[in-house]
Amino acid sequence: MRVLSSNLRLFWQGTLLSYRALFHWLRPAQYVASKVFMPLAQMFFFVFLGTFATSASNAGFYIIGNAIQITAVSGIFGVTMSVGGERETGTLPYLFGTPANRLVTFFGRAFMHILDGMLGVVIAFAWGVILLGLDLSHTDLPALALTIAVTTVSTCGLGLLMGCLSLITVNVMFVNSFVYFLLLIFSGANVPIAELPNWMQAISYALPLTRGIAAARLLVGGAPLADVAPLLWTELGVGLIYGLIGYVLFSWFEFIAKRRGILEVF
Amino acid sequence: MNVRVLFKYWRTILIVAEMTIRQQLMDGFIIFTVLFQPIIIALLALWMLKGKGPDYAIFVVVGSGLTGLWSSLLFISGNSINAERWSGTLEPLVAIPTPFEVIIFGKNLANVIQSLLSMVLGYIVAAFFFGYDLTIVQPWYFAVSLALSVFAFISFGLIIAPVFVMNPGVRAWQNAMEFPVYLLCGFLFPIALLPGWTTPISYLLPPYWAAVSLHGATTVGTAPNEIFFAWGMMVLFSLIDLLVASRLFKLMLYKARADATLGME
């Protein structure tokens, strides 16, 4: 019982402090700019581009795709920086020096970003309804909320893996920006997956977000939860696999770094 | 800063530009901003605008190149003074007899020139991977438009850098300024799609006039007068930007010396 409570405390403190440190909470403008305005401006850009490419009647396709894709801001950038930031700020040796449970420490880095990512998607949908006329009248809203939650969790799984990789590179921003922008192509947010070449489709289905976006589109179109349940289960599975690979690599990097004495050597 | 200063210190400007490019070739974030991001945007736009026909491919190449120019200006040129501060070289640069804005002009020149690579790569992607036959309808107009765009972007960057230094609150919004300019300047779709109240804002942005002239020079049926007008606007905005930048640099350096905060955030 004592171990459980101390792990819970570690989880909560780790998640809260890493999140606070990331966004310099003394300057809320930085948060609003990076987490609210940037993703919304990006969403508007692709919605206008999409409607210009096809027609205004297709706006829903782009609004839903890009609204869900916003979860990657937290899932990729946020989580990656939370894990990778330990090395940049010189706190990695202290972290590896503690007897703290690594599983709790590792997954704790993603928790706040899951909540934050979900909030970002909800804000995007709200703007989509208010400013771009997205119709949610036929949507099972609790099912859509579940889809948002599942997709955010799975994207954070990929973020954990990226964060782990950022421990062995100096170009953290290159890695996460690259993955973030690739998701814009591969997730089907802006280009229907069926229009992509076969090899790209295979990559799409191996990534988080793809099924989440597809499920959200079906739900907004009036489909019940039962119809999208298989997509959501698979989405969750994909995210968990990425998260677990990230955890295994995290543990392995710690082992190698300690053995060779290269904890802060890039 | 006036144009005479630029002519007087042209050698310094070129050397600063060369050194900046050499230094930045090793920076992953800059490589991403200048090369990879515009290419990914070009790929997306080529797929999305496929239904518009092959004529739009050159529009995408130019538009995605402009996104690279703007992102580079915002993130790299915007931080060109702060970057010196972070590396501890700001004080010596301010102390040397060469005007400080000349150094920043050279850095901006490097950023804008290297960003043009994104247009070249976009061209290669559209021509070789998508098989489009890309033609620049009016090559001479395009060349002049490109030269004026480079000058307009550099001049605009000279305003952004001191503003970001003097107002950390504004710099906090840096991330949020990238896509709005893509939207407002009609890089990849006409601004007529946007609500009418945004049009005057577009007219006040030099990248909008760069987009008008470059798209005009590559698209069939654009009246030369439209391109000439965009050139005029770019020259006008560049001169205004240089004048304002000159005042901003004086103010920034005076404040930094008076408050003894040159090296501090």
Side-chain angles (χ1 to χ4, degrees):
Chain A
M1 194 64 192
R2 228 179 103 213
V3 174
L4 181 70
S5 86
S6 99
N7 276 338
L8 277 176
R9 194 164 53 85
L10 176 71
F11 180 85
W12 181 242
Q13 285 186 346
T15 192
L16 205 62
L17 286 173
S18 70
Y19 185 77
R20 261 193 209 169
L22 191 60
F23 283 105
H24 310 278
W25 270 94
L26 289 174
R27 288 183 197 168
Q30 213 150 4
Y31 175 85
V32 176
S34 304
K35 299 296 295 293
V36 180
F37 278 91
M38 187 281 276
L40 290 179
Q42 183 192 306
M43 181 176 99
F44 284 135
F45 173 74
F46 284 111
V47 170
F48 278 109
L49 181 60
T51 50
F52 173 60
T54 54
S55 74
S57 59
N58 276 340
F61 177 88
Y62 298 102
I63 297 169
I64 299 163
N66 286 286
I68 296 281
Q69 213 272 344
I70 280 175
T71 196
V73 176
S74 298
I76 302 296
F77 285 114
V79 177
T80 304
M81 295 309 288
S82 279
V83 178
E86 300 287 357
R87 189 165 205 167
E88 263 185 34
T89 51
T91 48
L92 193 63
Y94 302 108
L95 185 72
F96 281 166
T98 64
N101 184 316
R102 295 291 183 264
L103 192 70
V104 172
T105 308
F106 185 67
F107 283 100
R109 293 292 182 273
F111 183 72
M112 285 300 283
H113 295 288
I114 292 174
L115 300 181
D116 201 28
M118 285 165 61
L119 178 68
V121 179
V122 170
I123 294 172
F125 267 102
W127 285 122
V129 171
I130 296 165
L131 295 178
L132 299 168
L134 179 68
D135 180 13
L136 293 181
S137 59
H138 305 295
T139 311
D140 179 348
L141 291 176
L144 183 61
L146 180 69
T147 303
I148 293 169
V150 166
T151 312
T152 309
V153 169
S154 74
T155 311
C156 285
L158 179 61
L160 283 171
L161 175 60
M162 290 297 122
C164 203
L165 294 178
S166 74
L167 293 175
I168 54 165
T169 172
V170 275
N171 289 319
V172 182
M173 284 306 286
F174 179 86
V175 172
N176 54 24
S177 299
F178 195 67
V179 171
Y180 177 83
F181 271 86
L182 281 185
L183 282 174
L184 281 170
I185 298 180
F186 285 99
S187 67
N190 295 298
V191 184
I193 302 285
E195 285 184 17
L196 297 174
N198 287 339
W199 65 270
M200 287 181 75
Q201 289 189 30
I203 296 174
S204 293
Y205 287 115
L207 289 171
L209 271 176
T210 309
R211 293 172 183 82
I213 289 172
R217 284 188 181 128
L218 287 171
L219 287 169
V220 174
L225 177 61
D227 284 8
V228 300
L231 285 172
L232 295 184
W233 280 116
T234 325
E235 175 78 23
L236 193 62
V238 168
L240 287 178
I241 289 170
Y242 279 111
L244 283 174
I245 295 173
Y247 174 66
V248 170
L249 281 178
F250 186 70
S251 306
W252 186 61
F253 289 158
E254 180 184 359
F255 173 72
I256 296 289
K258 279 180 175 171
R259 205 178 63 171
R260 295 188 186 163
I262 53 167
L263 211 54
E264 287 185 298
V265 180
F266 289 100
Chain B
M1 180 167 56
N2 57 43
V3 181
R4 263 187 319 168
V5 175
L6 295 181
F7 281 111
K8 188 178 170 191
Y9 288 100
W10 66 273
R11 282 163 62 97
T12 313
I13 290 171
L14 290 182
I15 288 170
V16 170
E18 185 198 339
M19 289 308 295
T20 305
I21 288 176
R22 282 173 185 267
Q23 217 172 1
Q24 291 183 346
L25 281 176
M26 300 306 292
D27 191 317
F29 176 70
I30 292 173
I31 300 284
F32 177 81
T33 307
V34 169
L35 297 180
F36 286 89
Q37 184 176 323
I39 289 300
I40 293 173
I41 289 176
L43 280 171
L44 263 173
L46 284 169
W47 257 306
M48 290 169 83
L49 295 171
K50 213 163 50 180
K52 290 266 177 195
D55 289 347
Y56 271 87
I58 191 72
F59 186 86
V60 170
V61 168
V62 171
S64 58
L66 283 165
T67 65
L69 272 171
W70 170 244
S71 297
S72 153
L73 195 77
L74 179 66
F75 292 113
I76 309 168
S77 299
N79 287 333
S80 54
I81 300 175
N82 272 323
E84 300 297 344
R85 204 178 232 177
W86 296 328
S87 58
T89 45
L90 185 58
E91 289 90 342
L93 282 178
V94 169
I96 58 171
T98 310
F100 184 54
E101 54 265 43
V102 167
I103 308 285
I104 301 303
F105 190 94
K107 292 183 78 173
N108 286 1
L109 175 68
N111 297 336
V112 173
I113 295 288
Q114 70 190 5
S115 306
L116 291 178
L117 262 183
S118 61
M119 222 177 265
V120 177
L121 280 180
Y123 189 95
I124 292 169
V125 167
F128 295 104
F129 290 93
F130 284 80
Y132 286 117
D133 182 21
L134 302 170
T135 322
I136 294 173
V137 183
Q138 304 179 82
W140 288 109
Y141 286 174
F142 184 79
V144 176
S145 299
L146 201 60
L148 288 175
S149 301
V150 166
F151 191 60
F153 270 84
I154 295 172
S155 307
F156 195 36
L158 284 175
I159 290 190
I160 297 174
V163 166
F164 280 178
V165 169
M166 286 190 284
N167 304 282
V170 177
R171 195 166 71 87
W173 290 88
Q174 199 173 14
N175 277 345
M177 292 178 195
E178 188 180 25
F179 278 93
V181 171
Y182 292 3
L183 273 163
L184 289 168
C185 294
F187 289 165
L188 284 161
F189 52 82
I191 60 163
L193 288 180
L194 302 173
W197 61 266
T198 63
T199 309
I201 305 172
S202 300
Y203 290 164
L204 290 173
L205 295 167
Y208 167 74
W209 298 107
V212 169
S213 67
L214 288 168
H215 283 315
T218 49
T219 313
V220 181
T222 308
N225 283 346
E226 206 179 310
I227 300 172
F228 297 154
F229 185 72
W231 288 356
M233 292 305 283
M234 278 196 281
V235 171
L236 178 69
F237 274 112
S238 300
L239 293 176
I240 293 172
D241 289 345
L242 287 178
L243 190 72
V244 174
S246 168
R247 302 268 180 261
L248 283 174
F249 271 85
K250 274 192 188 118
L251 179 68
M252 180 193 73
L253 292 177
Y254 173 77
K255 270 170 71 91
R257 284 172 176 141
D259 302 340
T261 55
L262 203 57
M264 294 178 203
E265 283 276 357

